Amino acid sequence: MGKLWQWGIYWLGRAKQGVVRFRSASLWGFLLFLCWSGMSVWHKEDILYLSLFFSLAATMLLAAGWEFMQEERAGGRNEIIRYIPPALLCILLWGGLNVLEVKEYVIMAGLGLITAFMSMNLYVVSRNHRAGLFPILFLGALQAAGVSILSMAALSLCLAAVDAMLVSLPWYWWSMAAACSICIVGWNWFLASIPEENAPLRVPSSLKKLCQRVLFPVYGLYLLILYVYIGKILWLGTMPSGTMNWFGTLALLGYVLFYFLLGETEEVKGKSFFLYIGMTLLPIVTVQLLGVYIRYEAYGLTTLRYLSMACTVFGLASLFQGMRRKPIRNLWLLASALALLVTVTPANAIDVPVQNQKGRLYGALKYANMVQDGRIVEGKPEEHTRQQIRSAWQYIRRSPAVYADREVKALADSPVLARLGAEDSAEQIRVVHADSVTIKAKGASAVTWFEEPVASDGTLTVQGAKGKETFSVSPFTKQVLQEVYDGRRPNMEYSPRPGCRLLFLEITFQEGRAVLVQGMLAE
């Protein structure tokens, strides 16, 4: 019991260190906790609250870097300067994110701002060429994550006990426990791990031993596997597949992590360790880029492929910095710039791939003579061209850009492209759902739920209140599918005879034919 008490006192003291030293950052963490809790309690996930959430998170990070900069001032910290700039930034970010009209764009921009401000913080705290700072912050972040998980588990256990033995609790109490553990406990624990301005920096020997005795051998085995794969490509004479892309990116990011952790330590700084590892990575990166180019030529640009390219750019920059044994500080500026580029600029990870796919789509349509006077018309493209049209259109219609760009929405809703997209292999399945169904009680004495297959002749057999009944639903289901192709809301209610109504909740189509239906029979 005394041990637990000592641990509790230590945790509180560690969190208090972060609060005392970084008052503004702690305050913004508390405000983020309130926002998270409010969104959970009142089920608010609209753009107004999402933008506020990400604005508070970004401001919380910026406030920590801003207060660290204030420590270096000769006159010490000014309380007004401590709080006002982060508050102004939060208002500016909240207003800017509210301009976005699509939730996915808000999430993308929010994550980009958080990543950018985190990178800027690392750039600020590594001023004066303070070597060995990143490993300490990295370990502090790992410790903060572990403390947050322990706090979350402890609070969840207490809530479960209250819920089971005292009073029933709604789900948002667990969400509030997670918010408290991350935004208050974990955040202040991490702030306490930030070294003082003139404090000596020492990389823990345990981290060095972990990297040298465990992670380096595993990383070497991983590189060997990639080289075997390259050998397989050369032996079989086949081009690399898209699988190589992410494995090559992980190899590159592994190099980046080792370089950031140990690249500026005295044991490694004067050696050629990272030069030799970098030279080993060059063939892997070459094959990876070739695979990316092949996938790009075949399928165009996607969000994941675009983000992978951005990660590769940062990895290559870090690779060449490591091979020349240069400081890592300027790489944080590059990381911040890349994060902003792919999230808050017109070259973001949603719009750029959609524009690329739109170009692929129009190129294939013009090749098949399916564009006349700016309109998409019916045609019979060749198989390769049809596959290109189908893949580009399917990507476009699933993209969030549909809600932000009228031209993209027009392409997604094109009935010609919808019909062409439905002409797929025998395995393609399309499911049509009813938006809502209201049963009119007048005239109905019984309502029966059914989930039945549709026979090959287009008939449906349902076990109703009066026994089994068979209905011909083929003309009705064809009408539903046509309405979907035309971009209209389908009518899911069918009256095969007076006094009988079929209200379909879900219709599954295969090769343009209804094969399974779910709904209710009202008689």
Side-chain angles (χ1 to χ4, degrees):
M1 195 68 181
K3 206 72 173 176
L4 291 176
W5 176 258
Q6 291 177 3
W7 269 101
I9 295 298
Y10 174 72
W11 280 25
L12 291 175
R14 182 69 181 267
K16 183 180 178 181
Q17 292 177 15
V19 173
V20 171
R21 187 179 170 202
F22 296 95
R23 296 178 185 174
S24 177
S26 298
L27 173 63
W28 288 105
F30 179 71
L31 294 177
L32 180 63
F33 159 72
L34 294 180
C35 177
W36 185 338
S37 302
M39 292 174 64
S40 301
V41 173
W42 292 295
H43 308 283
K44 297 293 186 180
E45 296 181 357
D46 54 11
I47 291 177
L48 179 67
Y49 287 89
L50 272 178
S51 59
L52 176 61
F53 177 85
F54 285 112
S55 300
L56 290 172
T59 305
M60 179 182 73
L61 291 169
L62 183 76
W66 176 252
E67 289 195 278
F68 187 87
M69 292 176 60
Q70 295 302 303
E71 286 185 339
E72 300 178 350
R73 296 174 68 247
R77 295 180 177 179
N78 186 302
E79 292 300 320
I80 297 179
I81 297 179
R82 181 200 293 254
Y83 294 102
I84 290 182
L88 294 176
L89 176 75
C90 183
I91 295 173
L92 181 63
L93 291 179
W94 192 16
L97 291 177
N98 266 305
V99 173
L100 303 175
E101 299 178 351
V102 182
K103 185 183 297 185
E104 287 80 1
Y105 281 83
V106 174
I107 296 174
M108 176 183 66
L111 293 176
L113 289 170
I114 290 173
T115 305
F117 286 143
M118 182 172 59
S119 302
M120 290 178 186
N121 281 349
L122 291 168
Y123 176 80
V124 168
V125 299
S126 60
R127 292 198 301 180
N128 301 324
H129 305 284
R130 304 185 73 199
L133 181 63
F134 178 77
I136 296 176
L137 297 178
F138 181 76
L139 288 178
L142 291 181
Q143 290 178 359
V147 170
S148 298
I149 293 173
L150 288 175
S151 174
M152 199 182 308
L155 291 175
S156 298
L157 179 62
C158 294
L159 291 174
V162 172
D163 182 67
M165 296 184 291
L166 299 178
V167 62
S168 179
L169 296 176
W171 68 270
Y172 58 73
W173 280 96
W174 280 264
S175 180
M176 292 172 63
C180 177
S181 301
I182 295 172
C183 302
I184 297 179
V185 179
W187 174 239
N188 286 293
W189 185 283
F190 173 74
L191 292 177
S193 68
I194 300 177
E196 299 281 350
E197 178 189 359
N198 298 319
L201 302 179
R202 294 180 55 202
V203 179
S205 59
S206 58
L207 177 63
K208 298 177 185 178
K209 293 179 181 178
L210 176 65
C211 291
Q212 294 171 358
R213 299 180 183 180
V214 179
L215 298 182
F216 281 166
V218 173
Y219 186 67
L221 178 61
Y222 183 75
L223 295 183
L224 178 62
I225 294 172
L226 293 180
Y227 265 93
V228 172
Y229 178 72
I230 294 174
K232 177 183 176 182
I233 291 174
L234 296 176
W235 177 262
L236 298 177
T238 58
M239 302 302 288
S241 66
T243 307
M244 178 69 180
N245 182 21
W246 284 106
F247 285 104
T249 301
L250 288 176
L252 200 55
L253 293 182
Y255 177 91
V256 173
L257 179 62
F258 291 136
Y259 174 51
F260 281 20
L261 288 176
L262 301 177
E264 294 183 331
T265 58
E266 295 299 328
E267 294 85 347
V268 183
K269 192 174 182 180
K271 299 181 181 180
S272 300
F273 175 79
F274 286 101
L275 173 62
Y276 297 141
I277 295 295
M279 294 176 64
T280 305
L281 275 173
L282 290 178
I284 295 175
V285 174
T286 302
V287 175
Q288 175 201 355
L289 294 177
L290 178 60
V292 171
Y293 176 76
I294 293 173
R295 299 288 290 184
Y296 172 78
E297 284 292 311
Y299 304 106
L301 203 59
T302 63
T303 294
L304 289 178
R305 198 165 293 135
Y306 186 55
L307 293 176
S308 172
M309 291 178 179
C311 292
T312 302
V313 169
F314 181 75
L316 287 174
S318 303
L319 177 67
F320 292 122
Q321 283 283 89
M323 293 174 66
R324 297 185 300 154
R325 298 193 294 278
K326 295 294 183 180
I328 66 175
R329 180 171 178 257
N330 292 330
L331 291 173
W332 297 121
L333 288 180
L334 176 62
S336 179
L338 285 174
L340 294 175
L341 175 70
V342 300
T343 55
V344 299
T345 69
N348 63 71
I350 293 178
D351 290 339
V352 169
V354 165
Q355 295 302 320
N356 175 264
Q357 295 290 345
K358 189 168 70 172
R360 289 182 67 237
L361 178 60
Y362 273 117
L365 290 173
K366 290 178 180 178
Y367 181 79
N369 296 319
M370 293 179 63
V371 178
Q372 295 180 5
D373 299 327
R375 295 183 302 104
I376 300 176
V377 298
E378 298 283 356
K380 295 183 178 180
E382 299 177 355
E383 180 61 27
H384 175 74
T385 306
R386 186 176 64 176
Q387 292 292 342
Q388 182 174 337
I389 293 172
R390 183 181 297 124
S391 67
W393 175 73
Q394 288 177 348
Y395 183 87
I396 288 173
R397 73 187 184 93
R398 287 193 292 261
S399 171
V402 169
Y403 306 104
D405 190 321
R406 293 182 178 179
E407 185 178 359
V408 174
K409 181 172 177 54
L411 288 174
D413 294 339
S414 170
V416 176
L417 296 178
R419 281 190 289 272
L420 191 63
E423 298 171 4
D424 209 338
S425 63
E427 298 299 323
Q428 179 174 353
I429 295 176
R430 187 186 189 101
V431 181
V432 178
H433 299 273
D435 291 339
S436 62
V437 175
T438 302
I439 301 177
K440 298 178 181 179
K442 185 178 180 180
S445 59
V447 177
T448 305
W449 164 265
F450 64 85
E451 180 178 1
E452 300 290 344
V454 179
S456 58
D457 59 354
T459 58
L460 169 67
T461 302
V462 178
Q463 179 71 43
K466 301 178 181 179
K468 286 188 176 181
E469 295 188 71
T470 300
F471 309 98
S472 177
V473 296
S474 179
F476 171 75
T477 56
K478 290 180 179 179
Q479 178 185 343
V480 169
L481 190 59
Q482 185 62 44
E483 290 174 348
V484 172
Y485 287 157
D486 294 341
R488 294 179 290 157
R489 179 181 297 177
N491 175 28
M492 302 289 279
E493 182 175 338
Y494 176 51
S495 297
R497 55 178 172 77
C500 178
R501 284 175 292 149
L502 292 170
L503 302 106
F504 293 96
L505 301 178
E506 181 179 296
I507 304 177
T508 302
F509 292 91
Q510 185 173 1
E511 292 188 271
R513 185 181 70 83
V515 294
L516 181 68
V517 293
Q518 296 180 19
M520 290 171 285
L521 170 63
E523 297 178 293

